[in-house]
Amino acid sequence: MRGRMVMFSEQSQTTGSIVPFAAIREAREWAEWQALTRDAPPFLTPEFFALNQPLAGDGEPLIACARGTDGLVGILPLQRRGHTIEGLRSNHTPDFDYAGDATGLDAIWRTLRGDRRWSTLVLKSVPRDSTLALRLPELASADGCVVVSRPGDRHPYLSLGSFEAHMNPHFRANLRRCERKAGGVTLERLTAPTRADLEEALHIEEMAWKGNAGTSITADARTRHLYHALVRLFGRRGQASLYFLRAGGQRLAMLLAVEAGQTIYALK
């Protein structure tokens, strides 16, 4: 009898599953998720999703996992509302994305495709060049699913090397005149902001139009808790930063951010 050769591709060794968010916090996948996102943007870490989840809405929080022979290879936090599955995000999520390799996303899609509890998948604020934005529509279309793609907003940025040279000369002159009238403008950067520093920053935000509109951080106790928790979490990791613009010795404007590598992620 001739022997038979059986070959298994990497894809066949990768399996997907969907578990409740609460369950993964007590499982080994939590540490694997942390390892998977060690070099990823901070808003893809499990801690960020855990803190942000109470503000994501009234859906059922879920985690779509992809596991290979050596452990977790992909993860996609979701929530289900009726027959709709959405990304697990809120208005305080800078971007939403998949973490892992393309093989893991394939396994997650196969698992989602076999789940009959949903009919619509909605993913917002996905970077247009990410694996999720490029690969998932291909997988869905190949299985006969209707795909509607709306590119997210582009994040504005300036090339710091020579950005002043590209400014309108009159605008640049107006900035300098305003600086002189303000009595000198300085930028203050705090890498270990205290609770009092953050409260002052939140007060500055509230003084602007957001206070009258009821959309400031201080207008919602849960949102206030989120930002205090984020500052504590990323502060312990040396990634939290709080900027104040000072004029005439007073703090007049704020920027709350998370720094990772060479990137500053502006939260507020």
Side-chain angles (χ1 to χ4, degrees), residues 9-243:
S9 66
E10 183 181 358
Q11 180 172 342
S12 66
Q13 296 177 10
T14 305
T15 59
S17 63
I18 301 176
V19 299
F21 188 91
I24 201 172
R25 298 191 67 172
E26 307 299 329
R28 65 176 181 175
E29 282 85 0
W30 186 262
E32 292 179 331
W33 187 358
Q34 291 175 320
L36 192 65
T37 56
R38 183 173 291 117
D39 298 322
F43 51 83
L44 297 184
T45 61
E47 295 87 353
F48 186 91
F49 281 101
L51 291 173
N52 202 38
Q53 184 265 316
L55 295 170
D58 56 357
E60 176 189 6
L62 303 167
I63 299 294
C65 305
R67 178 169 290 279
T69 55
D70 296 325
L72 198 68
V73 297
I75 199 157
L76 184 65
L78 303 167
Q79 63 178 337
R80 184 169 64 88
R81 289 192 180 97
H83 294 288
T84 298
I85 288 183
E86 303 172 341
L88 187 61
R89 61 173 302 279
S90 75
N91 292 332
H92 305 278
T93 304
D95 272 334
F96 175 82
D97 206 354
Y98 162 79
D101 60 37
T103 300
L105 187 57
D106 290 9
I108 286 175
W109 169 249
R110 292 196 301 270
T111 302
L112 288 171
R113 182 187 60 195
D115 190 334
R116 301 301 180 185
R117 295 176 299 172
W118 66 277
S119 58
T120 304
L121 176 62
V122 179
L123 301 177
K124 298 179 180 179
S125 299
V126 179
R128 63 185 66 197
D129 58 348
S130 71
T131 300
L132 183 61
L134 299 175
R135 180 64 178 156
L136 189 61
E138 293 180 356
L139 296 171
S141 296
D143 285 333
C145 297
V146 177
V147 176
V148 179
S149 178
R150 296 188 179 94
D153 296 333
R154 291 185 180 273
H155 296 301
Y157 69 92
L158 294 172
S159 177
L160 295 180
S162 58
F163 77 96
E164 289 185 347
H166 297 286
M167 285 184 176
N168 181 286
H170 296 291
F171 178 69
R172 189 165 60 243
N174 284 336
L175 286 180
R176 291 171 178 166
R177 185 175 66 254
C178 289
E179 181 180 0
R180 289 193 299 269
K181 290 181 62 177
V185 176
T186 58
L187 181 66
E188 179 184 10
R189 174 175 177 259
L190 303 177
T191 57
T194 65
R195 184 178 183 87
D197 292 325
L198 181 57
E199 283 296 325
E200 184 171 358
L202 300 187
H203 177 64
I204 290 173
E205 189 218 25
E206 184 182 27
M207 290 175 61
W209 62 269
K210 292 183 180 180
N212 292 331
T215 60
S216 66
I217 293 174
T218 57
D220 186 320
R222 297 177 306 168
T223 304
R224 190 179 198 139
H225 170 75
L226 169 66
Y227 282 94
H228 275 283
L230 288 175
V231 169
R232 289 196 303 271
L233 170 65
F234 291 110
R236 291 194 297 267
R237 300 176 178 179
Q239 293 180 310
S241 58
L242 183 58
Y243 293 82

